[in-house]
């Protein structure tokens, strides 16, 4: 056992523990809906995981519609998330959970839904306006896209989030550029 005195350690503003939680992809892949997500939250509470610090519920691919709205924004799939993603986030937040959403740096996600290529700033602003606190952003489908080109997407996302004063709550996860 190692014990260290950290009373004089500098505070760099980082998290004291890593973000811990649950991701829909590992168990359910594309078969997710709002009732399932709420059941998972209930199970995390009942099992003591939430109390132990597992407070993120991350919706991976397939939370969103196959089309963007009339303003070009991502939108939740109202067939599987009938209350809407902002309402789901609000409900999970009221139970003490933080919510994460997923997108990809390609034109489409792995499940061929709209991704963020060319919409980085708009998508960051949209997710931040909904109260999203974690953002998984990967290249899983981008490599197979014919229109894919290397972009500084993470820089664009960070800039958009900072301008919305949400960067402190929304953490970006990027495989190539560590934060």
């Amino acid at each position: 056992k190692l014990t260290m005195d950290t009373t004089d350690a500098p505070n760099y503003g980082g998290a004291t523990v890593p973000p811990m939680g649950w991701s829909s992809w590992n168990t359910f892949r594309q078969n997710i809906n709002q009732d399932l997500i709420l059941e998972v939250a209930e199970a995390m509470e009942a099992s003591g995981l939430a109390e132990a610090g597992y407070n993120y519920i991350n919706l991976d691919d397939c939370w969103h519609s196959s089309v963007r709205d009339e303003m070009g924004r991502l939108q939740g799939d109202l067939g599987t998330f009938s209350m809407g993603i902002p309402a789901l986030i609000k409900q999970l937040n009221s139970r003490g959970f933080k919510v994460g959403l997923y997108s990809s740096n390609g034109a489409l996600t792995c499940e061929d839904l709209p991704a963020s290529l060319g919409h980085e700033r708009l998508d960051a602003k949209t997710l931040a306006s909904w109260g999203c606190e974690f953002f998984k952003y990967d290249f899983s489908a981008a490599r197979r896209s014919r229109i894919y080109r290397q972009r500084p997407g993470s820089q664009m996302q960070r800039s958009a989030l900072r301008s919305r004063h949400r960067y402190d709550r929304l953490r970006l996860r990027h495989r190539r550029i560590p934060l």
Side-chain angles (χ1 to χ4, degrees), residues 12-178:
Y12 297 109
T16 57
V17 296
M20 299 185 298
W22 175 86
S23 174
S24 63
W25 192 257
N26 298 331
T27 306
F28 300 106
R29 298 186 56 96
Q30 71 274 21
N31 301 309
I32 60 173
N33 60 62
Q34 74 188 19
D35 295 333
L36 177 69
I37 299 304
L38 293 171
E39 287 175 24
V40 166
E42 187 175 310
M44 289 176 71
E45 290 170 331
S47 67
L49 286 172
E51 188 177 336
Y54 289 82
N55 57 2
Y56 282 91
I57 295 181
N58 298 316
L59 284 64
D60 210 293
D61 210 347
C62 298
W63 62 266
H64 55 304
S65 171
S66 61
V67 294
R68 290 176 174 270
D69 72 10
E70 64 280 351
M71 302 294 289
R73 297 174 298 214
L74 290 173
Q75 58 184 346
D77 182 337
L78 292 177
T80 53
F81 294 91
S82 60
M83 72 172 63
I85 298 299
L88 178 64
I89 290 173
K90 187 174 183 176
Q91 187 169 345
L92 291 169
N93 285 168
S94 74
R95 297 174 84 160
F97 290 103
K98 297 176 181 180
V99 179
L101 297 173
Y102 159 83
S103 189
S104 176
N105 192 33
L108 299 171
T109 67
C110 292
E111 295 298 317
D112 295 325
L113 294 169
S116 292
L117 182 65
H119 301 274
E120 293 88 352
R121 184 174 304 276
L122 178 61
D123 290 353
K125 287 180 179 182
T126 300
L127 300 183
S129 74
W130 292 346
C132 177
E133 290 118 340
F134 188 92
F135 184 47
K136 177 185 173 192
Y137 192 58
D138 68 24
F139 288 82
S140 61
R143 290 188 183 103
R144 65 183 168 92
S145 172
R146 291 177 186 230
I147 64 167
Y148 172 73
R149 59 188 186 277
Q150 189 69 25
R151 297 173 60 103
S154 289
Q155 284 300 115
M156 293 173 73
Q157 292 282 358
R158 277 188 220 131
S159 175
L161 293 169
R162 281 188 184 120
S163 71
R164 298 280 301 181
H165 306 289
R166 299 285 308 211
Y167 184 73
D168 60 323
R169 291 187 67 206
L170 186 65
R171 302 287 185 227
L172 299 177
R173 180 176 177 195
H174 192 290
R175 290 186 180 161
R176 293 188 180 166
I177 304 172

